[in-house]
Coordinates of all heavy atoms in Angstrom, one line a residue:
S25 N -6.2 -15.3 9.6 CA -7.1 -14.7 10.5 C -6.5 -13.4 11.0 O -5.3 -13.2 11.1 CB -7.4 -15.6 11.7 OG -6.3 -15.6 12.5
S26 N -7.4 -12.4 11.3 CA -6.9 -11.1 11.7 C -6.8 -11.0 13.2 O -7.7 -11.4 14.0 CB -7.9 -10.0 11.2 OG -7.9 -9.9 9.9
G27 N -5.8 -10.4 13.7 CA -5.6 -10.1 15.1 C -5.9 -8.7 15.4 O -6.4 -8.0 14.5
A28 N -5.5 -8.1 16.5 CA -5.8 -6.8 16.9 C -5.1 -5.8 15.9 O -5.6 -4.7 15.7 CB -5.3 -6.5 18.3
S29 N -4.0 -6.2 15.3 CA -3.3 -5.3 14.5 C -3.4 -5.8 13.0 O -2.5 -5.5 12.3 CB -1.8 -5.1 14.9 OG -1.2 -6.4 15.0
G30 N -4.5 -6.4 12.6 CA -4.6 -6.9 11.3 C -4.1 -8.3 11.1 O -3.7 -8.9 12.0
P31 N -4.1 -8.7 9.8 CA -3.7 -10.1 9.5 C -2.2 -10.4 9.7 O -1.8 -11.5 9.6 CB -4.2 -10.3 8.1 CG -4.1 -8.9 7.6 CD -4.5 -8.0 8.6
S32 N -1.4 -9.3 9.8 CA 0.0 -9.5 9.9 C 0.5 -9.8 11.2 O 0.4 -9.0 12.2 CB 0.7 -8.2 9.4 OG 2.1 -8.3 9.6
S33 N 1.0 -11.1 11.5 CA 1.4 -11.4 12.9 C 2.9 -11.1 13.1 O 3.3 -11.0 14.3 CB 1.2 -12.9 13.0 OG 2.1 -13.6 12.1
K34 N 3.7 -10.8 12.1 CA 5.1 -10.5 12.3 C 5.5 -9.1 11.7 O 6.1 -8.4 12.4 CB 6.0 -11.6 11.6 CG 5.6 -13.0 12.1 CD 6.3 -13.3 13.4 CE 6.1 -14.8 13.7 NZ 6.1 -15.0 15.0
V35 N 5.2 -8.9 10.5 CA 5.7 -7.6 9.8 C 5.2 -6.4 10.5 O 6.0 -5.4 10.6 CB 5.3 -7.7 8.3 CG1 5.7 -6.4 7.6 CG2 6.0 -8.9 7.6
S36 N 4.0 -6.4 10.9 CA 3.4 -5.2 11.5 C 4.1 -4.8 12.8 O 4.0 -3.7 13.3 CB 1.9 -5.3 11.8 OG 1.7 -6.4 12.7
H37 N 4.9 -5.7 13.4 CA 5.7 -5.4 14.6 C 7.1 -5.0 14.4 O 7.8 -4.8 15.4 CB 5.5 -6.5 15.6 CG 4.1 -6.9 15.9 ND1 3.3 -6.1 16.8 CD2 3.3 -7.9 15.5 CE1 2.1 -6.6 16.8 NE2 2.1 -7.7 16.1
L38 N 7.6 -5.0 13.2 CA 8.9 -4.7 12.9 C 9.3 -3.2 13.2 O 8.4 -2.4 12.8 CB 9.3 -5.0 11.5 CG 9.3 -6.5 11.2 CD1 9.6 -6.8 9.7 CD2 10.3 -7.3 12.0
K39 N 10.4 -2.9 13.7 CA 10.8 -1.5 13.9 C 11.9 -1.0 13.1 O 12.2 0.2 13.0 CB 11.2 -1.4 15.4 CG 10.1 -1.8 16.4 CD 9.0 -0.9 16.4 CE 8.0 -1.2 17.5 NZ 6.7 -1.0 17.1
S40 N 12.6 -1.8 12.3 CA 13.7 -1.4 11.5 C 13.8 -2.4 10.3 O 13.2 -3.4 10.2 CB 15.0 -1.4 12.3 OG 15.3 -2.7 12.7
T41 N 14.7 -2.0 9.4 CA 15.0 -2.8 8.2 C 15.7 -4.0 8.5 O 16.5 -4.1 9.4 CB 15.9 -2.0 7.2 OG1 15.2 -0.7 6.9 CG2 16.1 -2.7 5.9
L42 N 15.3 -5.1 7.8 CA 15.9 -6.4 8.1 C 17.0 -6.7 7.2 O 17.0 -6.3 6.0 CB 14.8 -7.5 8.0 CG 13.6 -7.5 8.9 CD1 12.7 -8.6 8.5 CD2 14.1 -7.6 10.3
P43 N 17.9 -7.6 7.5 CA 19.0 -8.1 6.5 C 18.3 -9.0 5.6 O 17.1 -9.5 5.9 CB 19.9 -8.9 7.4 CG 19.6 -8.7 8.9 CD 18.2 -8.1 8.9
E44 N 18.8 -9.2 4.4 CA 18.2 -9.9 3.4 C 17.7 -11.3 3.7 O 16.5 -11.7 3.4 CB 19.1 -10.0 2.1 CG 18.4 -10.5 0.9 CD 19.2 -10.5 -0.3 OE1 20.1 -9.6 -0.4 OE2 19.1 -11.4 -1.2
D45 N 18.5 -12.0 4.5 CA 18.1 -13.4 4.9 C 16.9 -13.4 5.9 O 16.0 -14.3 5.7 CB 19.2 -14.2 5.4 CG 19.9 -13.6 6.7 OD1 19.8 -12.3 6.8 OD2 20.4 -14.3 7.5
A46 N 16.8 -12.4 6.8 CA 15.7 -12.3 7.7 C 14.5 -11.8 7.0 O 13.4 -12.4 7.3 CB 16.1 -11.3 8.8
A47 N 14.6 -11.0 6.0 CA 13.5 -10.6 5.2 C 12.9 -11.7 4.4 O 11.6 -11.8 4.3 CB 13.9 -9.4 4.3
L48 N 13.7 -12.6 3.8 CA 13.2 -13.8 3.1 C 12.5 -14.7 4.1 O 11.4 -15.2 3.7 CB 14.4 -14.5 2.4 CG 14.0 -15.7 1.6 CD1 13.1 -15.3 0.5 CD2 15.3 -16.3 1.0
Q49 N 13.0 -14.8 5.2 CA 12.3 -15.7 6.3 C 11.0 -15.2 6.6 O 10.0 -15.8 6.8 CB 13.2 -15.8 7.5 CG 12.6 -16.8 8.5 CD 12.4 -18.1 8.0 OE1 13.2 -18.7 7.3 NE2 11.3 -18.8 8.5
M50 N 10.9 -13.8 6.7 CA 9.6 -13.1 7.0 C 8.6 -13.4 5.9 O 7.4 -13.5 6.2 CB 9.9 -11.6 7.2 CG 8.7 -10.9 7.8 SD 8.3 -11.4 9.4 CE 9.8 -10.9 10.3
L51 N 9.0 -13.5 4.7 CA 8.1 -13.8 3.6 C 7.5 -15.2 3.8 O 6.3 -15.4 3.5 CB 8.9 -13.8 2.2 CG 8.1 -14.2 1.0 CD1 7.0 -13.1 0.8 CD2 9.0 -14.2 -0.2
Y52 N 8.2 -16.1 4.4 CA 7.6 -17.4 4.6 C 6.8 -17.5 5.9 O 5.8 -18.3 6.0 CB 8.7 -18.5 4.8 CG 9.4 -18.7 3.4 CD1 10.8 -18.3 3.3 CD2 8.8 -19.3 2.3 CE1 11.5 -18.5 2.0 CE2 9.4 -19.4 1.1 CZ 10.7 -19.0 1.0 OH 11.4 -19.2 -0.2
T53 N 7.1 -16.7 6.9 CA 6.3 -16.7 8.2 C 5.2 -15.8 8.2 O 4.2 -16.1 8.9 CB 7.3 -16.4 9.4 OG1 7.8 -15.1 9.2 CG2 8.4 -17.4 9.5
D54 N 5.2 -14.7 7.4 CA 4.1 -13.8 7.4 C 3.9 -13.2 6.0 O 4.1 -12.0 5.8 CB 4.4 -12.7 8.4 CG 3.2 -11.7 8.6 OD1 2.1 -12.0 8.1 OD2 3.5 -10.6 9.1
P55 N 3.4 -14.1 5.0 CA 3.3 -13.6 3.7 C 2.3 -12.5 3.5 O 2.5 -11.5 2.7 CB 2.9 -14.9 2.9 CG 2.4 -15.8 3.9 CD 3.1 -15.5 5.2
M56 N 1.2 -12.5 4.2 CA 0.2 -11.4 4.1 C 0.8 -10.1 4.6 O 0.5 -9.1 4.0 CB -1.1 -11.7 4.8 CG -2.2 -10.7 4.7 SD -2.7 -10.5 2.9 CE -4.0 -9.4 3.1
G57 N 1.5 -10.2 5.6 CA 2.2 -9.0 6.1 C 3.2 -8.4 5.2 O 3.2 -7.1 5.0
V58 N 3.9 -9.2 4.5 CA 4.9 -8.8 3.5 C 4.2 -8.1 2.3 O 4.5 -7.0 1.8 CB 5.8 -9.9 3.1 CG1 6.7 -9.5 1.9 CG2 6.7 -10.3 4.2
V59 N 3.1 -8.8 1.8 CA 2.4 -8.3 0.7 C 1.7 -6.9 1.1 O 1.7 -5.9 0.3 CB 1.3 -9.2 0.3 CG1 0.3 -8.6 -0.7 CG2 2.0 -10.5 -0.4
T60 N 1.2 -6.8 2.3 CA 0.5 -5.5 2.7 C 1.6 -4.4 2.8 O 1.3 -3.4 2.3 CB -0.1 -5.7 4.1 OG1 -1.1 -6.8 4.0 CG2 -0.8 -4.5 4.6
H61 N 2.7 -4.8 3.4 CA 3.7 -3.7 3.5 C 4.2 -3.2 2.1 O 4.4 -2.1 1.9 CB 4.8 -4.2 4.4 CG 5.9 -3.2 4.6 ND1 5.7 -2.1 5.5 CD2 7.1 -2.9 4.0 CE1 6.8 -1.4 5.5 NE2 7.6 -1.8 4.6
Y62 N 4.4 -4.2 1.2 CA 4.8 -3.9 -0.2 C 3.8 -3.0 -0.8 O 4.2 -2.0 -1.5 CB 5.1 -5.2 -0.9 CG 5.5 -4.9 -2.3 CD1 6.8 -4.6 -2.6 CD2 4.6 -5.0 -3.4 CE1 7.2 -4.4 -3.9 CE2 5.0 -4.7 -4.7 CZ 6.3 -4.5 -5.0 OH 6.7 -4.2 -6.3
A63 N 2.5 -3.3 -0.8 CA 1.5 -2.6 -1.4 C 1.4 -1.1 -0.8 O 1.3 -0.2 -1.6 CB 0.1 -3.3 -1.2
I64 N 1.6 -1.0 0.5 CA 1.6 0.3 1.1 C 2.8 1.1 0.7 O 2.6 2.3 0.4 CB 1.5 0.2 2.6 CG1 0.1 -0.4 3.1 CG2 1.7 1.5 3.3 CD1 0.1 -0.8 4.5
T65 N 3.9 0.5 0.5 CA 5.1 1.2 0.1 C 4.9 1.7 -1.3 O 5.3 2.8 -1.6 CB 6.3 0.2 0.2 OG1 6.5 -0.2 1.5 CG2 7.6 0.9 -0.3
K66 N 4.4 0.9 -2.2 CA 4.2 1.3 -3.6 C 3.2 2.4 -3.7 O 3.3 3.3 -4.5 CB 3.9 0.1 -4.5 CG 5.0 -0.9 -4.6 CD 6.3 -0.2 -5.1 CE 7.5 -1.1 -5.1 NZ 8.7 -0.3 -5.3
L67 N 2.1 2.3 -2.9 CA 1.1 3.3 -2.9 C 1.6 4.6 -2.4 O 1.4 5.7 -3.0 CB -0.1 2.8 -2.0 CG -1.3 3.8 -1.9 CD1 -1.9 4.1 -3.3 CD2 -2.3 3.3 -1.0
Y68 N 2.5 4.6 -1.4 CA 3.1 5.7 -0.9 C 4.0 6.4 -1.9 O 3.9 7.6 -2.2 CB 4.0 5.4 0.4 CG 4.7 6.6 0.9 CD1 4.1 7.5 1.7 CD2 6.1 6.7 0.6 CE1 4.8 8.6 2.2 CE2 6.8 7.8 1.1 CZ 6.2 8.7 1.9 OH 6.9 9.8 2.4
D69 N 4.7 5.6 -2.7 CA 5.6 6.1 -3.7 C 4.7 6.8 -4.8 O 5.1 7.9 -5.3 CB 6.4 5.0 -4.5 CG 7.4 4.4 -3.6 OD1 7.8 5.0 -2.6 OD2 7.9 3.3 -3.9
I70 N 3.6 6.2 -5.2 CA 2.7 6.8 -6.2 C 2.1 8.2 -5.7 O 2.1 9.2 -6.4 CB 1.5 5.9 -6.5 CG1 2.0 4.6 -7.3 CG2 0.4 6.6 -7.3 CD1 1.1 3.5 -7.3
I71 N 1.7 8.2 -4.4 CA 1.1 9.5 -3.9 C 2.2 10.5 -3.8 O 1.9 11.7 -4.1 CB 0.5 9.1 -2.5 CG1 -0.8 8.3 -2.7 CG2 0.2 10.4 -1.8 CD1 -1.4 7.7 -1.4
V72 N 3.4 10.2 -3.4 CA 4.5 11.2 -3.3 C 4.7 11.8 -4.7 O 4.9 13.0 -4.9 CB 5.8 10.6 -2.7 CG1 6.9 11.6 -2.9 CG2 5.5 10.4 -1.2
C73 N 4.8 10.9 -5.7 CA 5.0 11.3 -7.1 C 3.9 12.3 -7.5 O 4.1 13.3 -8.1 CB 5.1 10.1 -8.0 SG 5.4 10.5 -9.7
L74 N 2.7 11.9 -7.3 CA 1.5 12.8 -7.7 C 1.5 14.0 -6.9 O 1.1 15.1 -7.5 CB 0.2 12.0 -7.4 CG 0.0 10.8 -8.3 CD1 -1.2 10.1 -7.8 CD2 -0.2 11.2 -9.8
K75 N 1.8 14.1 -5.7 CA 1.9 15.3 -4.9 C 3.0 16.3 -5.4 O 2.8 17.5 -5.3 CB 2.1 15.0 -3.4 CG 0.9 14.5 -2.7 CD 1.1 14.3 -1.3 CE 1.0 15.6 -0.7 NZ 1.0 15.7 0.7
D76 N 4.0 15.7 -6.0 CA 5.1 16.5 -6.6 C 4.8 17.1 -7.9 O 5.6 17.9 -8.5 CB 6.5 15.7 -6.6 CG 7.0 15.5 -5.2 OD1 6.6 16.2 -4.3 OD2 7.8 14.6 -5.1
N77 N 3.7 16.7 -8.6 CA 3.3 17.2 -9.8 C 3.1 18.7 -9.8 O 2.6 19.2 -8.8 CB 2.0 16.5 -10.4 CG 2.3 15.2 -11.0 OD1 3.5 14.9 -11.2 ND2 1.3 14.5 -11.3
K78 N 3.4 19.4 -10.9 CA 3.1 20.8 -11.0 C 1.6 21.1 -11.1 O 0.8 20.2 -11.6 CB 3.7 21.4 -12.3 CG 5.3 21.3 -12.2 CD 5.9 22.0 -13.4 CE 7.4 21.9 -13.2 NZ 8.1 22.3 -14.4
R79 N 1.2 22.2 -10.6 CA -0.3 22.6 -10.6 C -0.6 22.6 -12.2 O 0.1 23.1 -13.0 CB -0.4 24.0 -10.0 CG -1.8 24.5 -10.1 CD -2.0 25.6 -9.1 NE -2.3 24.9 -7.9 CZ -2.5 25.5 -6.7 NH1 -2.4 26.8 -6.6 NH2 -2.8 24.8 -5.7
G80 N -1.8 22.1 -12.5 CA -2.3 22.1 -13.8 C -1.9 20.8 -14.6 O -2.3 20.6 -15.8
S81 N -1.1 19.9 -13.9 CA -0.8 18.7 -14.6 C -2.0 17.9 -14.9 O -3.0 17.9 -14.2 CB 0.2 17.9 -13.7 OG 0.4 16.6 -14.2
R82 N -2.0 17.2 -16.0 CA -3.1 16.3 -16.4 C -3.2 15.0 -15.6 O -4.2 14.5 -15.5 CB -2.9 15.9 -17.9 CG -3.1 17.1 -18.9 CD -2.9 16.8 -20.3 NE -3.8 15.6 -20.6 CZ -3.7 14.9 -21.7 NH1 -2.7 15.1 -22.5 NH2 -4.4 13.8 -22.0
V83 N -2.1 14.6 -14.9 CA -2.1 13.5 -14.1 C -2.2 14.0 -12.6 O -1.3 14.7 -12.1 CB -0.9 12.6 -14.2 CG1 -0.9 11.4 -13.3 CG2 -0.8 12.2 -15.7
T84 N -3.3 13.7 -12.0 CA -3.5 14.2 -10.6 C -3.9 13.0 -9.7 O -4.1 11.9 -10.1 CB -4.6 15.2 -10.5 OG1 -5.8 14.6 -10.9 CG2 -4.4 16.4 -11.5
M85 N -4.0 13.3 -8.4 CA -4.5 12.3 -7.4 C -5.9 11.9 -7.8 O -6.1 10.7 -7.9 CB -4.5 12.9 -6.0 CG -4.6 12.0 -4.9 SD -3.0 11.3 -4.5 CE -2.3 12.7 -3.8
G86 N -6.8 12.8 -8.2 CA -8.1 12.4 -8.6 C -8.2 11.6 -9.9 O -8.9 10.6 -10.0
S87 N -7.4 12.0 -10.9 CA -7.4 11.2 -12.2 C -6.7 9.9 -12.0 O -7.0 9.0 -12.9 CB -6.8 12.0 -13.3 OG -5.3 12.1 -13.1
T88 N -5.9 9.7 -11.1 CA -5.2 8.4 -10.9 C -6.1 7.4 -10.2 O -6.1 6.2 -10.6 CB -3.9 8.6 -10.2 OG1 -3.1 9.5 -10.9 CG2 -3.2 7.3 -10.0
F89 N -6.8 7.8 -9.2 CA -7.6 6.9 -8.4 C -9.1 6.9 -8.6 O -9.8 6.0 -8.2 CB -7.3 7.2 -6.9 CG -5.9 7.0 -6.5 CD1 -5.1 8.1 -6.3 CD2 -5.4 5.8 -6.3 CE1 -3.8 7.9 -5.8 CE2 -4.0 5.5 -5.9 CZ -3.3 6.6 -5.7
F90 N -9.6 8.0 -9.2 CA -11.1 8.0 -9.3 C -11.6 8.3 -10.7 O -10.9 9.0 -11.5 CB -11.6 9.2 -8.4 CG -11.3 9.0 -7.0 CD1 -10.2 9.6 -6.3 CD2 -12.1 8.2 -6.2 CE1 -9.9 9.4 -5.0 CE2 -11.8 8.0 -4.8 CZ -10.7 8.6 -4.2
N91 N -12.7 7.7 -11.0 CA -13.4 7.9 -12.4 C -14.0 9.2 -12.4 O -14.7 9.7 -11.6 CB -14.5 6.8 -12.4 CG -15.1 6.8 -13.8 OD1 -15.3 7.8 -14.4 ND2 -15.5 5.6 -14.2
K92 N -13.6 10.0 -13.5 CA -14.0 11.4 -13.6 C -15.5 11.5 -13.9 O -16.1 12.5 -13.6 CB -13.2 12.2 -14.6 CG -13.4 11.8 -16.0 CD -12.5 12.8 -16.9 CE -12.8 12.4 -18.3 NZ -12.0 13.3 -19.2
M93 N -16.1 10.5 -14.4 CA -17.5 10.5 -14.7 C -18.4 10.4 -13.6 O -19.4 11.1 -13.4 CB -17.9 9.3 -15.7 CG -17.2 9.4 -17.0 SD -17.6 10.8 -17.9 CE -17.6 10.2 -19.6
D94 N -18.0 9.5 -12.6 CA -19.0 9.3 -11.4 C -18.3 9.5 -10.1 O -18.9 9.5 -9.0 CB -19.6 8.0 -11.5 CG -18.6 6.8 -11.5 OD1 -17.5 7.0 -11.1 OD2 -19.0 5.7 -11.8
G95 N -17.0 9.8 -10.1 CA -16.2 10.0 -8.8 C -16.0 8.9 -8.0 O -15.4 8.9 -6.9
N96 N -16.3 7.6 -8.5 CA -16.0 6.4 -7.8 C -14.6 6.0 -8.0 O -13.9 6.2 -9.0 CB -16.9 5.2 -8.3 CG -18.4 5.5 -7.8 OD1 -18.6 6.1 -6.8 ND2 -19.3 5.1 -8.7
L97 N -14.1 5.2 -7.0 CA -12.7 4.6 -7.1 C -12.7 3.7 -8.3 O -13.5 2.9 -8.7 CB -12.5 3.7 -5.9 CG -11.1 3.1 -5.7 CD1 -10.1 4.3 -5.5 CD2 -11.1 2.2 -4.5
I98 N -11.6 3.9 -9.1 CA -11.3 3.1 -10.4 C -11.2 1.6 -10.0 O -10.5 1.3 -9.0 CB -10.1 3.6 -11.1 CG1 -10.4 5.0 -11.6 CG2 -9.7 2.7 -12.2 CD1 -9.1 5.7 -12.2
D99 N -11.8 0.8 -10.7 CA -11.9 -0.7 -10.4 C -10.5 -1.3 -10.1 O -10.3 -2.2 -9.3 CB -12.6 -1.5 -11.5 CG -14.1 -1.2 -11.4 OD1 -14.6 -0.8 -10.4 OD2 -14.7 -1.5 -12.4
E100 N -9.5 -0.9 -10.9 CA -8.2 -1.5 -10.7 C -7.5 -1.2 -9.3 O -6.7 -2.0 -8.9 CB -7.2 -1.0 -11.8 CG -7.5 -1.5 -13.2 CD -8.7 -0.8 -13.9 OE1 -9.2 0.2 -13.4 OE2 -8.9 -1.2 -15.0
W101 N -8.0 -0.2 -8.6 CA -7.5 0.1 -7.3 C -8.2 -0.7 -6.2 O -7.8 -0.7 -5.1 CB -7.5 1.5 -7.0 CG -6.6 2.3 -7.8 CD1 -6.9 3.1 -8.9 CD2 -5.2 2.4 -7.7 NE1 -5.7 3.7 -9.4 CE2 -4.7 3.2 -8.7 CE3 -4.3 1.8 -6.8 CZ2 -3.3 3.5 -8.8 CZ3 -2.9 2.1 -7.0 CH2 -2.4 2.9 -7.9
R102 N -9.4 -1.3 -6.5 CA -10.2 -1.9 -5.5 C -9.4 -3.1 -4.8 O -9.5 -3.2 -3.6 CB -11.6 -2.4 -6.1 CG -12.5 -1.3 -6.4 CD -13.8 -1.7 -6.9 NE -14.5 -0.6 -7.4 CZ -15.2 0.3 -6.6 NH1 -15.2 0.2 -5.4 NH2 -15.8 1.3 -7.2
P103 N -8.7 -3.9 -5.5 CA -7.9 -5.0 -4.8 C -6.9 -4.5 -3.8 O -6.8 -5.0 -2.7 CB -7.3 -5.8 -5.8 CG -8.1 -5.5 -7.1 CD -8.6 -4.1 -6.9
L104 N -6.3 -3.4 -4.1 CA -5.3 -2.8 -3.2 C -6.1 -2.2 -2.0 O -5.6 -2.3 -0.9 CB -4.5 -1.7 -3.9 CG -3.6 -0.9 -3.1 CD1 -2.5 -1.9 -2.4 CD2 -2.8 0.2 -3.9
L105 N -7.2 -1.5 -2.3 CA -8.0 -1.0 -1.1 C -8.4 -2.1 -0.2 O -8.3 -1.9 1.0 CB -9.2 -0.3 -1.7 CG -10.1 0.3 -0.7 CD1 -9.4 1.5 0.1 CD2 -11.4 0.8 -1.3
R106 N -8.7 -3.3 -0.7 CA -9.1 -4.4 0.1 C -7.9 -4.9 1.0 O -8.1 -5.1 2.2 CB -9.7 -5.6 -0.7 CG -10.0 -6.8 0.1 CD -11.0 -7.7 -0.7 NE -11.1 -9.0 0.1 CZ -11.9 -9.1 1.1 NH1 -12.5 -8.1 1.7 NH2 -12.0 -10.3 1.7
V107 N -6.7 -5.0 0.4 CA -5.5 -5.4 1.1 C -5.2 -4.4 2.2 O -5.0 -4.8 3.3 CB -4.3 -5.5 0.2 CG1 -3.0 -5.6 1.0 CG2 -4.5 -6.7 -0.8
L108 N -5.3 -3.1 1.8 CA -5.1 -2.0 2.8 C -6.1 -2.1 4.0 O -5.8 -1.9 5.2 CB -5.1 -0.7 2.2 CG -3.9 -0.5 1.2 CD1 -4.0 0.9 0.5 CD2 -2.6 -0.7 1.9
H109 N -7.4 -2.3 3.6 CA -8.4 -2.4 4.6 C -8.2 -3.5 5.6 O -8.4 -3.4 6.8 CB -9.8 -2.5 3.9 CG -10.9 -2.8 4.9 ND1 -11.4 -1.8 5.8 CD2 -11.6 -3.9 5.2 CE1 -12.3 -2.3 6.5 NE2 -12.5 -3.6 6.2
L110 N -7.7 -4.6 5.1 CA -7.5 -5.8 5.9 C -6.2 -5.8 6.7 O -6.2 -6.3 7.8 CB -7.5 -7.1 5.1 CG -8.9 -7.5 4.4 CD1 -8.7 -8.7 3.5 CD2 -9.9 -7.8 5.6
G111 N -5.2 -5.1 6.2 CA -4.0 -5.2 6.8 C -3.2 -3.9 7.1 O -2.3 -3.9 7.9
G112 N -3.7 -2.8 6.5 CA -3.0 -1.6 6.7 C -2.9 -1.0 8.1 O -2.0 -0.4 8.5
S113 N -3.9 -1.4 8.9 CA -3.9 -0.8 10.3 C -2.8 -1.4 11.1 O -2.3 -0.9 12.2 CB -5.3 -1.0 11.0 OG -5.5 -2.4 11.1
G114 N -2.3 -2.6 10.7 CA -1.2 -3.2 11.5 C 0.2 -2.9 11.0 O 1.1 -3.4 11.5
D115 N 0.3 -2.1 10.0 CA 1.6 -1.8 9.4 C 2.0 -0.4 9.9 O 1.4 0.6 9.5 CB 1.5 -1.8 7.9 CG 2.8 -1.8 7.3 OD1 3.7 -1.0 7.7 OD2 3.1 -2.5 6.3
A116 N 3.1 -0.4 10.7 CA 3.6 0.9 11.2 C 3.9 1.9 10.0 O 3.7 3.1 10.2 CB 4.8 0.7 12.1
F117 N 4.3 1.4 8.9 CA 4.7 2.3 7.8 C 3.4 3.0 7.3 O 3.6 4.2 6.8 CB 5.3 1.4 6.6 CG 5.8 2.2 5.5 CD1 7.1 2.8 5.5 CD2 5.0 2.5 4.4 CE1 7.5 3.5 4.5 CE2 5.5 3.2 3.3 CZ 6.8 3.7 3.3
A118 N 2.3 2.4 7.4 CA 1.0 3.0 6.9 C 0.5 4.0 7.9 O -0.3 4.9 7.5 CB -0.1 1.9 6.7
Q119 N 0.9 4.0 9.1 CA 0.5 4.9 10.1 C 1.3 6.0 10.2 O 1.2 7.1 10.3 CB 0.3 4.2 11.4 CG -0.7 3.0 11.4 CD -0.7 2.2 12.6 OE1 -0.3 2.7 13.6 NE2 -1.2 1.0 12.5

């Protein structure tokens, strides 16, 4: 269930990096929060990489996320969008 800060009851409230054993425990206590944070981290990596592309590159933000025929979000990105919609507002990294 979702609270005021999304479905993440624990991960969204973290302020710093955890030691490995605490991070593993977080996976068991707040799996949706861990998955949301991981998805946002990977999406951030992709966006930074795309922003660093040279002007005129064939791989762009638009070509990565949107169908050039109709301008709609590519179907493969829809599950990630749903995760971000449900949990992204509760993740400090996403904000």
Side-chain angles (χ1 to χ4, degrees):
S25 72
S26 293
S29 57
S32 173
S33 61
K34 305 275 187 213
V35 174
S36 63
H37 301 286
L38 294 175
K39 302 291 185 214
S40 62
T41 304
L42 297 176
E44 190 173 328
D45 59 331
L48 182 59
Q49 182 61 36
M50 193 61 66
L51 179 61
Y52 293 112
T53 59
D54 185 14
M56 184 61 178
V58 171
V59 168
T60 300
H61 185 77
Y62 179 80
I64 291 168
T65 301
K66 293 305 170 190
L67 181 60
Y68 177 81
D69 291 345
I70 291 167
I71 291 171
V72 167
C73 182
L74 290 171
K75 286 184 77 172
D76 288 344
N77 278 351
K78 293 180 181 173
R79 178 163 275 175
S81 174
R82 292 178 53 196
V83 180
T84 65
M85 198 83 69
S87 69
T88 301
F89 295 106
F90 300 96
N91 184 326
K92 71 178 183 179
M93 298 296 213
D94 58 16
N96 290 329
L97 186 65
I98 295 173
D99 286 339
E100 287 79 5
W101 290 105
R102 290 184 190 281
L104 178 58
L105 181 65
R106 179 163 170 72
V107 168
L108 295 176
H109 172 71
L110 292 174
S113 64
D115 191 319
F117 187 83
Q119 299 174 17

